[in-house]
Amino acid sequence: MKSISYRRDKVLKKLWWKEEVVYQIYPKSFYDSNKDGIGDIQGIIEKLDYLKKLGVTSLWICPIFKSPMIDNGYDISDYIDVQDEFGTMKDLDTLIEKCKSLEIKIILDLVVNHTSHEHHWFKEALKNPEGPCGDFYIFKNGKNGKVPNNWRSIFGGSVWEPVPNRENLYYFHTFHKGQPDLNWENPNLRREIYKMINWWLEKGIGGFRIDSITFVKKDQDYLDSEIDGKDGLSSVKHKGRNRPGIEKFLYELNRETFEKYRCVTVGEAPGVPYEQYNQYIGKNGYFNMIFDFKYADIDVENGSEWFRRTNWTTKELKEKIFKSQEVFQKIGWGANFLENHDQPRSLTKYIRDKKYRNHIGAKALGCLFFFLRGTPFIYQGQELGMENFTRENINEFDDVSSIDNYNRSILEGYSEKEALNFVNLRSRDNGRTPMQWDNSSFSGFTKGDKVWLGLTNSLNINVVNQIEDINSVFTFYKKMIELRQNSNYSEDLIYGDFEQIHSDGDLIAYKRGENIVCLVNLGDSTQNIKLKVGEILLNNYKTLKIKENNIILEPYQGILITKGE
Ligand code: NOJ
């Protein structure tokens, strides 16, 4: 029975975006072609051969649109223009063209919960909050001489900012005050957004990653909610994220834009409980896939808001990964990732024994995540095993949320040292340090004499040292991609059912399709499992110990095998 429905599933649900391997580019830090210390679109073009060699098939490019760059491009001042430091629209067209000829699709970042405060709509709105552009944003009167309510923005402080030269009037921002929220309640605004999205889709891009989309609906009463910090505020998440009524907006968004094209959509949809995944990625869902942050945030109390540490265990991590896979499999398709531009490096996060924070640990993690059911997303530098940095002073950080977290930790009673430690371990800057290409100055990221953000401490982890080395993390990633995309095992690795295998201790084990098994020991002592080995497809150690049908995995050993008879 099982194999018949499995086969039917394969026939009915074969879709191009399920067969992609996506590489995420943070353009500011990828490659600087014009020596100004900032990465750019020409820089991406120059590195396409590298990406092709790695074998990835899609690129998700973080925002390259016009922006004052308060949040590194997630504050857009013109949706259909390119930020000067990244290049021109002509450069972008060239990138799209070149990618097409290499059969690489481009996924752009769609940021429509908010704009920049420099967007012309917002400038108009400030001039005349009662006018048509005023209703594109959210303006409210203060209460009793104070801001309209007690909601805290994601980057700290009130969500309300006073409107200059207006008594008792405020505008709303979920994130930074330079990122005023758009008023999705207004149908004219929504129409403008759809027009812009379709303009990009007509240009021939592959699709969108959709930023912070669960924030577009707020409770319209705008009442106070329960205080949850010593700042006397209450997270905007309680009444301003994934709220009832969002279904109307997202259904319409999909109908008016994405559905008309054969594009891919990946929602950044934090705060959606598993019970609601069907709405988001089910048969008639708003998006093709979403990211699940439940295990990415295992090391901290709250991924985007609180960097205080947890004492997580491998057992918990395993349970979270398996639960996530179970839901994705039942309902639709997942976007699997280890890292992104909002996360620290996975090697530092998940490999707790420092001895293995090297190619062994990086490959074990790669093996664990890459073969999960869903489309794998690789973040720049992850394929090299890039690590976190350690900064000595809060002034060395660029990221607005890291600075806020530091200040809030101190307000909550932590020492400067503790606060700095939280930020060092979790800061978004960890994933944003310039990509390391070679052994020259600034690791070859730029040929100029400056960089916008300091590099990591381990400069020997770079492309030139790894690209031809058969034992490198790069080569391991290349092999993983080759196995998934272009081997006798592709069908099972892409479309095969996911099934967890019971295992004790720090061992994480799962099966794909009928015959492929992934085993990863995420601990520093050996782990055993009774299983017959057929073929060894991947191994991050040189050997594999087998004793009377028992596989003995070394610390942080990760393997992909077929089951033996
Ligand atoms: C999520 C993005 O990934 C993050 O980098 C950004 O700061 C916020 N959304 C606001 O756009």
Side-chain angles (χ1 to χ4, degrees):
M1 261 327 275
K2 188 165 173 249
S3 63
I4 293 172
S5 64
Y6 165 59
R7 242 178 268 134
R8 197 176 293 139
D9 177 65
K10 282 198 293 190
V11 174
L12 293 178
K13 295 192 181 152
K14 270 194 167 177
L15 291 160
W16 72 267
W17 41 265
K18 293 185 177 177
E19 299 178 10
E20 297 297 289
V21 175
V22 185
Y23 187 89
Q24 185 193 346
I25 291 184
Y26 198 65
K28 201 167 174 182
S29 299
F30 190 60
Y31 182 61
D32 172 21
S33 75
N34 65 350
K35 303 187 186 172
D36 63 356
I38 296 172
D40 43 54
I41 297 172
Q42 275 302 336
I44 303 175
I45 295 173
E46 285 182 34
K47 297 296 182 186
L48 285 177
D49 287 347
Y50 167 77
L51 297 168
K52 195 68 195 167
K53 182 163 174 119
L54 178 60
V56 297
T57 58
S58 280
L59 304 180
W60 154 23
I61 304 179
C62 286
I64 34 76
F65 315 100
K66 263 274 187 297
S67 164
M69 302 296 278
I70 290 177
D71 190 18
N72 287 333
Y74 283 93
D75 46 327
I76 298 173
S77 55
D78 189 342
Y79 284 109
I80 46 178
D81 201 355
V82 169
Q83 171 64 359
D84 296 338
E85 61 210 45
F86 292 144
T88 61
M89 191 60 92
K90 199 159 162 266
D91 294 331
L92 187 58
D93 287 339
T94 310
L95 176 65
I96 295 173
E97 265 319 294
K98 291 228 150 114
C99 282
K100 224 177 247 165
S101 67
L102 293 169
E103 294 183 333
I104 293 177
K105 291 112 205 147
I106 296 223
I107 299 172
L108 291 182
D109 221 308
L110 183 64
V111 189
V112 288
N113 174 67
H114 45 269
T115 65
S116 156
H117 64 312
E118 288 188 11
H119 194 286
H120 73 93
W121 292 339
F122 191 67
K123 286 188 185 158
E124 272 305 307
L126 277 191
K127 273 193 231 149
N128 182 10
E130 286 77 24
C133 274
D135 199 40
F136 277 18
Y137 294 88
I138 301 163
F139 290 93
K140 294 267 177 250
N141 287 316
K143 268 194 192 150
N144 312 320
K146 294 201 201 120
V147 292
N149 65 25
N150 69 354
W151 302 2
R152 180 193 309 109
S153 77
I154 298 289
F155 295 156
S158 170
V159 293
W160 299 103
E161 186 64 17
V163 175
N165 308 319
R166 286 289 299 257
E167 193 74 9
N168 199 34
L169 189 65
Y170 299 83
Y171 73 84
F172 183 98
H173 57 93
T174 295
F175 295 92
H176 192 270
K177 65 179 181 195
Q179 296 167 299
D181 278 43
L182 287 164
N183 176 20
W184 274 66
E185 305 293 330
N186 178 341
N188 295 332
L189 176 268
R190 299 204 300 273
R191 255 194 303 277
E192 287 294 328
I193 299 281
Y194 305 152
K195 225 168 40 190
M196 175 276 286
I197 294 174
N198 291 337
W199 186 88
W200 279 106
L201 289 170
E202 288 294 328
K203 223 180 198 334
I205 61 160
F208 289 107
R209 173 264 188 189
I210 302 142
D211 185 69
S212 303
I213 196 63
T214 35
F215 286 97
V216 293
K217 179 77 190 179
K218 289 95 178 148
D219 278 3
Q220 292 301 295
D221 57 20
Y222 285 97
L223 290 175
D224 281 354
S225 52
E226 205 177 316
I227 294 173
D228 58 14
K230 287 196 177 152
D231 56 3
L233 298 175
S234 169
S235 170
V236 62
K237 290 174 179 174
H238 305 309
K239 287 168 77 62
R241 189 178 76 174
N242 195 33
R243 302 306 292 164
I246 195 167
E247 60 284 355
K248 182 182 156 220
F249 297 157
L250 300 188
Y251 174 76
E252 183 188 271
L253 165 67
N254 184 33
R255 190 192 63 208
E256 295 300 317
T257 61
F258 315 136
E259 214 183 63
K260 300 181 179 168
Y261 299 81
R262 213 175 148 253
C263 72
V264 62
T265 52
V266 193
E268 192 208 24
V272 180
Y274 285 139
E275 302 79 63
Q276 279 182 22
Y277 267 40
N278 194 38
Q279 281 174 41
Y280 279 79
I281 52 162
K283 198 157 169 274
N284 300 310
Y286 321 125
F287 308 118
N288 298 143
M289 35 182 161
I290 56 177
F291 297 111
D292 181 359
F293 295 98
K294 295 178 186 63
Y295 58 88
D297 290 340
I298 196 166
D299 63 322
V300 279
E301 273 182 27
N302 186 314
S304 49
E305 289 182 305
W306 267 121
F307 292 180
R308 288 187 297 234
R309 311 297 299 163
T310 60
N311 281 320
W312 63 276
T313 61
T314 306
K315 185 166 175 282
E316 281 162 6
L317 178 66
K318 175 159 61 179
E319 283 166 4
K320 280 181 193 285
I321 294 176
F322 288 169
K323 175 74 194 165
S324 170
Q325 282 285 291
E326 197 187 291
V327 177
F328 277 142
Q329 172 150 289
K330 203 161 123 214
I331 291 173
W333 196 254
N336 299 318
F337 69 100
L338 272 182
E339 297 181 7
N340 64 36
H341 65 293
D342 292 332
Q343 294 282 330
R345 291 293 183 176
S346 55
L347 201 53
T348 322
K349 176 163 61 175
Y350 296 118
I351 307 289
R352 280 166 296 186
D353 187 332
K354 288 192 181 141
K355 225 170 53 208
Y356 297 96
R357 282 189 195 154
N358 53 19
H359 69 106
I360 292 287
K363 291 173 192 169
L365 290 173
C367 193
L368 171 62
F369 113 97
F370 191 81
F371 298 110
L372 295 172
R373 188 173 181 277
T375 300
F377 282 64
I378 300 168
Y379 181 65
Q380 64 184 45
Q382 179 187 324
E383 78 281 19
L384 305 173
M386 278 179 68
E387 292 178 83
N388 278 5
F389 55 71
T390 310
R391 310 261 195 247
E392 302 298 329
N393 194 296
I394 189 64
N395 300 330
E396 292 174 56
F397 289 84
D398 168 82
D399 166 34
V400 279
S401 92
S402 303
I403 296 161
D404 167 56
N405 251 279
Y406 176 85
N407 291 333
R408 226 144 23 99
S409 296
I410 285 175
L411 186 70
E412 296 284 326
Y414 292 93
S415 68
E416 285 181 15
K417 196 167 157 219
E418 285 165 321
L420 193 65
N421 183 42
F422 293 154
V423 180
N424 265 323
L425 287 171
R426 186 69 195 190
S427 172
R428 307 195 300 177
D429 283 347
N430 281 307
R432 299 176 178 186
T433 59
M435 174 81 176
Q436 295 171 187
W437 293 100
D438 61 33
N439 295 308
S440 65
S441 60
F442 301 120
S443 286
F445 163 71
T446 179
K447 292 196 175 62
D449 56 4
K450 55 178 191 277
V451 276
W452 77 274
L453 183 68
L455 281 87
T456 67
N457 321 22
S458 337
L459 300 183
N460 59 330
I461 299 172
N462 63 43
V463 171
V464 95
N465 288 352
Q466 295 200 16
I467 199 157
E468 300 301 341
D469 174 359
I470 52 165
N471 295 317
S472 68
V473 182
F474 176 88
T475 304
F476 194 83
Y477 265 78
K478 195 164 165 323
K479 278 191 205 154
M480 292 200 298
I481 296 172
E482 182 68 19
L483 271 171
R484 184 182 187 273
Q485 301 304 101
N486 203 10
S487 78
N488 294 338
Y489 308 100
S490 299
E491 189 76 16
D492 274 344
L493 289 175
I494 298 173
Y495 290 108
D497 283 350
F498 171 90
E499 202 182 305
Q500 51 174 289
I501 299 176
H502 175 78
S503 60
D504 296 320
D506 287 326
L507 182 61
I508 304 184
Y510 63 85
K511 203 168 89 165
R512 291 301 311 281
E514 295 301 321
N515 205 29
I516 304 181
V517 173
C518 178
L519 300 175
V520 178
N521 176 5
L522 221 55
D524 55 9
S525 54
T526 55
Q527 298 288 336
N528 292 8
I529 186 164
K530 204 166 188 63
L531 202 74
K532 271 196 180 167
V533 179
E535 203 182 333
I536 301 173
L537 306 177
L538 273 174
N539 184 358
N540 66 343
Y541 274 62
K542 289 212 164 72
T543 54
L544 179 62
K545 276 192 201 149
I546 303 171
K547 230 188 207 168
E548 292 151 12
N549 283 337
N550 258 305
I551 303 178
I552 304 159
L553 289 142
E554 299 292 347
Y556 293 97
Q557 183 162 21
I559 58 171
L560 189 77
I561 55 170
T562 60
K563 264 172 37 186
E565 296 296 310

